[in-house]
Amino acid sequence: MSLLLSLIHKSNNSSAKEFEKLIDNSHNNLFGFEIWRNELWGNKVIEELNCHLLFSLKKQNLFLFDNDLLILKKECEIMYNNIEYISTSTTIEADAISFRIGNLEEYIKKALKYQSLIGLNIS
């Protein structure tokens, strides 16, 4: 199984497929393998870097709206700035991590642009 990114409506947490059509074609909805909940996102190095939202994927799916999207955007920056350290600490290739963070950033960008209507789900 894979962890997937999706946009969701604020009103009822349902799909927001019409907004997902706006995602840049160089990105997709993949956020890593299910095992990455522990091996990457739930790794102590992510907690050490104060990426608390990403770290919480270890135990739960994420439903993010409004300010949480801004926090997650900052966590992406932290991840990029520490990608080699994270890769070394987790043994997951930096390119693989970078690709997934790029996908996440594209979804965050769309969710922020239409934040009065939608949010982001990682599950």
Side-chain angles (χ1 to χ4, degrees), residues 6-10 16 19-20 22-23 53 64-77 101 103-121:
S6 61
L7 297 173
I8 52 175
H9 280 286
K10 272 187 167 180
F19 293 102
E20 290 187 7
L22 303 173
I23 299 295
L53 287 175
L64 306 158
F65 300 96
D66 304 319
N67 193 50
D68 283 343
L69 295 169
L70 296 172
I71 293 169
L72 191 59
K73 184 177 177 182
K74 288 189 186 300
E75 290 187 9
C76 288
E77 292 172 23
I101 294 175
N103 289 342
L104 177 58
E105 286 184 318
E106 180 66 14
Y107 272 76
I108 292 169
K109 185 168 80 172
K110 294 302 179 235
L112 285 170
K113 184 172 182 177
Y114 301 102
Q115 70 180 327
S116 65
L117 299 171
I118 62 173
L120 172 63
N121 171 240

Side-chain angles (χ1 to χ4, degrees), residues 21-38:
K21 293 176 185 174
L22 303 173
I23 299 295
D24 184 289
N25 288 338
S26 64
H27 297 282
N28 60 45
N29 68 338
L30 299 177
F31 197 55
F33 304 101
E34 183 68 29
I35 197 164
W36 283 17
R37 281 187 190 269
N38 291 315

